[in-house]
Amino acid sequence: MLNEEVLVRSQAVVARVVAGETLIVPIRAKVGDLASIYSFNSTGSLIWKLLESPRTVAQLATAVAQAYEVEPAQAERDVTSFVNEMKSVGLVEVPASVAMAGD
């Protein structure tokens, strides 16, 4: 289940905070892919910061619900959608140690 899946930032990206927004640049063949720059608002930036260490979607949703005073169910839906999008473009991944332990 995705809520229990542990995720972490991809190592194939470079991130910087500029003017309060987090900018993410994927690295492909040792070069920044400037055609694929991602920009996160404050909520996305919070999730990105939390993913410095492995977290589940449920843990991320709890943090978002507390930080922004939203209903836990709404936070979970929004975080799940955001994380799925980040996974689809390779910004987050399942840590290798966790993936191997689950095999």
Side-chain angles (χ1 to χ4, degrees), residues 69-89:
E69 299 179 2
V70 296
E71 292 295 321
Q74 181 64 49
E76 190 168 319
R77 285 190 298 273
D78 293 346
V79 169
T80 298
S81 175
F82 183 69
V83 165
N84 282 336
E85 198 170 319
M86 286 198 307
K87 280 180 65 177
S88 73
V89 296

Side-chain angles (χ1 to χ4, degrees), residues 47-82:
I47 293 168
W48 184 254
K49 181 169 178 38
L50 291 168
L51 287 171
E52 286 179 300
S53 58
R55 310 274 180 169
T56 64
V57 170
Q59 291 170 324
L60 296 171
T62 298
V64 168
Q66 290 173 350
Y68 294 99
E69 299 179 2
V70 296
E71 292 295 321
Q74 181 64 49
E76 190 168 319
R77 285 190 298 273
D78 293 346
V79 169
T80 298
S81 175
F82 183 69

Side-chain angles (χ1 to χ4, degrees), residues 1-70:
M1 180 176 211
L2 181 61
N3 278 6
E4 296 170 9
E5 184 177 51
V6 176
L7 301 166
V8 70
R9 294 177 184 179
S10 169
Q11 297 300 304
V13 300
V14 174
R16 296 289 181 267
V17 177
V18 178
E21 289 187 8
T22 301
L23 300 177
I24 313 292
V25 179
I27 305 298
R28 302 188 202 315
K30 298 184 182 180
V31 177
D33 181 0
L34 299 180
S36 299
I37 295 176
Y38 300 91
S39 173
F40 296 161
N41 64 14
S42 61
T43 307
S45 294
L46 171 63
I47 293 168
W48 184 254
K49 181 169 178 38
L50 291 168
L51 287 171
E52 286 179 300
S53 58
R55 310 274 180 169
T56 64
V57 170
Q59 291 170 324
L60 296 171
T62 298
V64 168
Q66 290 173 350
Y68 294 99
E69 299 179 2
V70 296

